[in-house]
């Protein structure tokens, strides 16, 4: 069956790469990429349609091309470049609502894939070490991208109830990082002096950008709709990541951390919500066995390899005098001998 | 990182006893430098829970060892009841104002078990919310006391330690020493049943006497947000000196394992069975405590 795929958010890095990737797939007849601004890079076989998903016009695009698969990549993590937090929230929440409304009306739509985020699990000291998909947040996110993600998932669940005939897959990504993508975490770890919260050290999980695309591809062509966590194997401690990057770790007592966050935010370099401060303190782990069992997807890069790939592609110069660790050490799993 | 090749500077000289000692010292120093370098570069491993095996084995346990071997000293019984491989759940009594008893159990298993097993403890959520303490606890392999974490650790074949009395146990007054408190809701039993691992009732004698709590300053505790504020014969009267634990003689006895693989699947959802097993574990520990106390000649010897 030749398929017609609509990809939203193609002017952003991941959306653009996904449109190119799907355009090369033998089962795909047409890829339509939509966004409000033209994509900076060539979309390959994919066609670009300038449309705003916050506008009912998107319904016409879906109908005209009788789109059967919608891949929603336009849930954005940072207001930098989106025109501020309120614009970001509108793109994420109103955009998703409009897109889902359009999908609900379109009889041709048979499949929906939504990029979500592991931030929906919230962050707190009471979190289990690893979240599985059936667990709920101990402390629900209250601001920023994390809250948007919770709301987006809520609307998607509503859509699942109203259109049970559509196969819906949501992918909860741990922080996506890699050679090309620009994320708040990438910017944070690129600071020469990295402020952290004194006395705390979060566990960080990373998804390589190539693995993120492969996961969306697996969800699009796989036959197991559902909600899945996506991440590379293993974790890095925040302090460990900063050390590997050769940056200076600057632990600040909690009150100063909030002040610093406000300063960095004012300069518009990184938007840091209080949610993200909590993340630096406690971190988060997600279990990825479901996607492996049901979609056969295995991330090819571990968290550590993803981080090293990021470092390799960002020759920002090391702040600390010693060299980067020479060889990547093998990833350990829990268990095994004690010594 | 491969070990540096050793080239003798003066091959003609006969090695003397003194030279050997300084050579060993150098090697030790070189090892310490390599360790420090790995820490500064971030080239070490942590597992999914944040457990840092290298830091635990090379820094945390050695720093507790003098306390274990010299100060208290701890005598271990029945260590063969802890399996050499596969998961097991250690359930023990809790006392002593600060959770030194759990740390001593960790040292006992790491140093004196033939397979040098790492104890992965389940801690209260308060532990992980406290700066530094929470971070060190994660590095030492401990995690939040919740069923998902307990089952994940047990199923991956780790030895998990749980102190079900929690703060009720560590913060109880000296007059109630060696009397077990309520054992929570017995969630640990269902975790062991689901993972089909043995439960090892463990009794610790000696920890009650290290900081005898004479009174609990409840008002201060509320101000500081701690579960209790202990008044001991030395704390807070002697300031930091009051933090030195009294050198009591310790006994840790790992009891006969209670096998859980004899129960059918779904047994973990039978509350009556859970209550009975929880009681069985609690009674075993209480009786062993009385037995050990009867055998003890004095608190300090």
């Amino acid at each position: 069956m030749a398929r017609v795929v609509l990809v939203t958010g193609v002017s952003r890095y991941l959306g653009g790469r996904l449109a190119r990737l799907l355009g090369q797939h033998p089962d795909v007849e047409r890829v339509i990429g939509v966004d409000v601004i033209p994509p900076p890079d060539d979309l390959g076989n994919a066609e670009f349609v300038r449309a705003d998903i916050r506008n009912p016009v998107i319904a016409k695009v879906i109908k005209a091309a009788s789109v059967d698969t919608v891949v929603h990549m336009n849930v954005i993590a940072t207001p930098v470049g989106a025109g501020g937090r309120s614009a970001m929230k509108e793109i994420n929440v109103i955009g998703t609502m409009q897109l889902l409304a359009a999908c609900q009306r379109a009889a041709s739509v048979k499949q929906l894939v939504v990029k979500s985020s592991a931030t929906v699990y919230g962050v707190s000291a009471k979190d289990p070490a690893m979240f599985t998909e059936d667990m709920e947040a101990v402390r629900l996110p209250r601001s920023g991208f994390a809250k948007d993600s919770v709301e987006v998932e809520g609307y998607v669940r509503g859509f699942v109830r109203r259109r049970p005939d559509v196969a819906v897959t949501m992918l909860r990504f741990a922080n996506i990082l890699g050679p090309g993508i620009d994320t708040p975490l990438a910017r944070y770890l690129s600071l020469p002096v990295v402020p952290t919260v004194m006395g705390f050290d979060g566990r960080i999980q990373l998804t390589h950008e190539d693995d993120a695309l492969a996961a969306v591809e697996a969800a699009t062509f796989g036959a197991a709709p559902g909600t899945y966590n996506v991440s590379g194997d293993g974790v890095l401690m925040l302090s460990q990541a900063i050390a590997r990057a050769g940056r200076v770790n600057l632990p600040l007592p909690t009150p100063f951390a909030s002040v610093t966050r406000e300063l960095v935010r004012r300069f518009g370099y990184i938007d840091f919500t209080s949610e993200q401060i909590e993340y630096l303190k406690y971190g988060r782990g997600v279990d990825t066995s479901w996607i492996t069992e049901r979609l056969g997807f295995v991330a090819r890069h571990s968290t550590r390899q993803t981080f090293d790939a990021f470092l390799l592609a960002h020759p920002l110069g090391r702040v600390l005098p010693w060299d980067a660790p020479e060889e990547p050490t093998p990833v350990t799993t829990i268990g095994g001998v004690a010594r | 990182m491969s070990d540096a090749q050793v080239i003798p500077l003066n091959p003609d000289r006969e090695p003397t006893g003194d030279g050997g000692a300084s050579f060993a010292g150098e090697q030790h120093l070189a090892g310490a430098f390599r360790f420090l370098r790995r820490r500064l570069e971030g080239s070490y491993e942590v597992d999914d829970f944040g457990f840092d095996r290298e830091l635990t084995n090379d820094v945390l346990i050695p720093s507790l060892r003098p306390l274990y071997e010299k100060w208290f000293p701890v005598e271990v019984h029945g260590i063969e009841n802890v399996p050499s491989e596969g998961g097991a759940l250690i359930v023990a009594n809790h006392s002593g104002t600060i959770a030194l008893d759990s740390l001593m159990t960790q040292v006992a298993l790491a140093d004196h078990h033939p397979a040098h097993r790492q104890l992965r403890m389940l801690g209260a959520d308060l532990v992980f919310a406290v700066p530094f303490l929470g971070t060190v606890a994660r590095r030492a392999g401990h995690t939040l006391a919740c069923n998902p974490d307990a089952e994940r650790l047990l199923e991956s074949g780790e030895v998990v330690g749980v102190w079900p009395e929690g703060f009720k146990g560590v913060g109880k007054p000296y007059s109630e020493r060696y009397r077990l408190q309520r054992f929570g809701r017995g969630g640990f039993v269902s975790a062991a049943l689901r993972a089909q691992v043995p439960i090892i009732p463990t009794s610790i004698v000696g920890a009650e006497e290290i900081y005898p709590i004479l009174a609990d300053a409840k008002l201060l505790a509320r101000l500081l947000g701690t579960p209790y504020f202990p008044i001991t014969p030395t704390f807070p009267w002697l300031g930091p000196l009051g933090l030195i634990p009294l050198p009591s003689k310790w006994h840790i006895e790992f009891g006969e394992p209670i096998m859980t693989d004899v129960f059918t699947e779904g047994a973990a959802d039978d509350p009556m069975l859970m209550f009975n097993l929880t009681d069985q574990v609690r009674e075993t520990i209480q009786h062993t405590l009385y037995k050990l106390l009867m055998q003890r000649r004095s608190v300090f010897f």
Side-chain angles (χ1 to χ4, degrees), chain A residues 125-132 135 198-201 203 205 233-237 239-240 243-245 282 287 304 320 322-327 329-339, chain B residues 1 37 39-50 53 57 61 65 110-111 115-118 120 125 128-135 138-139 143-144 146 148-149 152-153 156-158:
Chain A
K126 298 182 186 182
D127 286 352
M130 299 299 261
F131 279 100
T132 52
M135 290 182 191
M198 190 180 279
F200 292 97
D201 201 5
R203 288 169 304 130
Q205 261 186 338
D233 270 345
V235 302
L236 278 176
M237 304 307 286
S239 62
Q240 191 184 4
R244 286 180 86 79
Y282 303 115
D287 180 285
R304 183 181 279 246
L320 294 179
W322 48 82
D323 298 334
E326 299 119 28
E327 73 249 76
T329 24
V331 185
T332 50
T333 47
I334 31 178
V337 283
R339 276 186 177 182
Chain B
M1 203 176 285
R37 194 188 152 96
R39 305 314 295 188
L40 288 173
E41 289 175 347
S43 50
Y44 54 86
E45 300 282 335
V46 295
D47 79 357
D48 287 348
F49 293 82
R53 195 177 290 278
N57 283 335
I61 289 187
R65 207 168 276 147
D111 282 0
H116 301 293
R117 302 221 54 177
Q118 282 291 352
R120 312 292 298 265
D125 49 14
F128 298 97
V130 175
F132 301 104
L133 180 65
T135 310
R138 280 231 170 265
R139 293 266 178 173
T143 190
L144 184 78
C146 62
D149 282 14
R152 185 175 289 275
L153 281 169
S156 58
E158 300 281 342

Side-chain angles (χ1 to χ4, degrees), chain A residues 102-123:
Chain A
C103 291
Q104 196 179 327
R105 281 286 188 85
S108 61
V109 173
K110 291 281 166 271
Q111 194 174 10
L112 172 70
V113 178
V114 180
K115 168 179 167 269
S116 182
S117 146
T119 55
V120 297
Y121 295 115
V123 196

Side-chain angles (χ1 to χ4, degrees), chain A residues 4-196:
Chain A
V4 181
V5 185
L6 180 101
V7 182
T8 65
V10 289
S11 297
R12 294 186 152 259
Y13 179 78
L14 221 49
R17 278 192 61 188
L18 183 75
R20 272 202 300 282
L21 188 73
L22 294 179
Q24 291 161 358
H25 200 282
D27 293 351
V28 175
E29 183 193 318
R30 251 181 108 182
V31 177
I32 300 159
V34 295
D35 211 324
V36 282
I37 49 165
D41 301 315
D42 179 40
L43 290 184
N45 296 334
E47 307 154 41
F48 174 70
V49 175
R50 191 166 183 163
D52 191 343
I53 56 165
R54 287 169 288 179
N55 191 302
V57 108
I58 193 74
K60 290 191 183 127
V61 177
I62 293 175
K63 201 174 170 204
S66 45
V67 168
D68 55 63
T69 305
V70 175
V71 183
H72 184 30
M73 298 292 284
N74 208 11
V75 182
I76 57 177
T78 169
V80 179
R85 168 70 189 135
S86 56
M88 167 189 166
K89 190 176 170 87
E90 209 180 304
I91 292 169
N92 288 347
V93 180
I94 308 295
T96 303
M97 282 177 81
Q98 281 287 359
L99 181 70
L100 293 177
C103 291
Q104 196 179 327
R105 281 286 188 85
S108 61
V109 173
K110 291 281 166 271
Q111 194 174 10
L112 172 70
V113 178
V114 180
K115 168 179 167 269
S116 182
S117 146
T119 55
V120 297
Y121 295 115
V123 196
S124 85
K126 298 182 186 182
D127 286 352
M130 299 299 261
F131 279 100
T132 52
E133 289 83 345
D134 51 356
M135 290 182 191
E136 282 174 9
V138 175
R139 182 177 159 279
L140 267 176
R142 277 178 289 202
S143 62
F145 173 59
K147 186 163 184 250
D148 290 357
S149 297
V150 171
E151 287 180 11
V152 165
E153 286 207 354
Y155 291 124
V156 173
R157 274 191 287 273
F159 176 81
V160 172
R161 279 195 298 276
R162 289 189 292 270
R163 279 289 302 268
D165 60 313
V166 177
V168 180
T169 305
M170 284 196 281
L171 298 172
R172 293 173 175 164
F173 289 102
N175 287 295
I176 300 173
L177 204 68
I181 197 166
D182 178 22
T183 69
L185 188 73
R187 289 189 171 213
Y188 168 73
L189 291 168
S190 305
L191 293 170
V193 175
V194 186
T196 55

Side-chain angles (χ1 to χ4, degrees), chain A residues 222-234:
Chain A
T227 303
Y228 299 110
N229 295 333
V230 187
S231 169
D233 270 345

Side-chain angles (χ1 to χ4, degrees), chain A residues 256-277:
Chain A
F256 291 102
S258 318
V259 174
T260 312
R261 167 178 78 88
E262 194 57 33
L263 275 176
V264 174
R265 210 169 72 94
R266 284 285 157 82
F267 282 114
Y269 188 63
I270 311 172
D271 180 73
F272 250 81
T273 60
S274 52
E275 207 64 44
Q276 280 155 323
I277 295 269

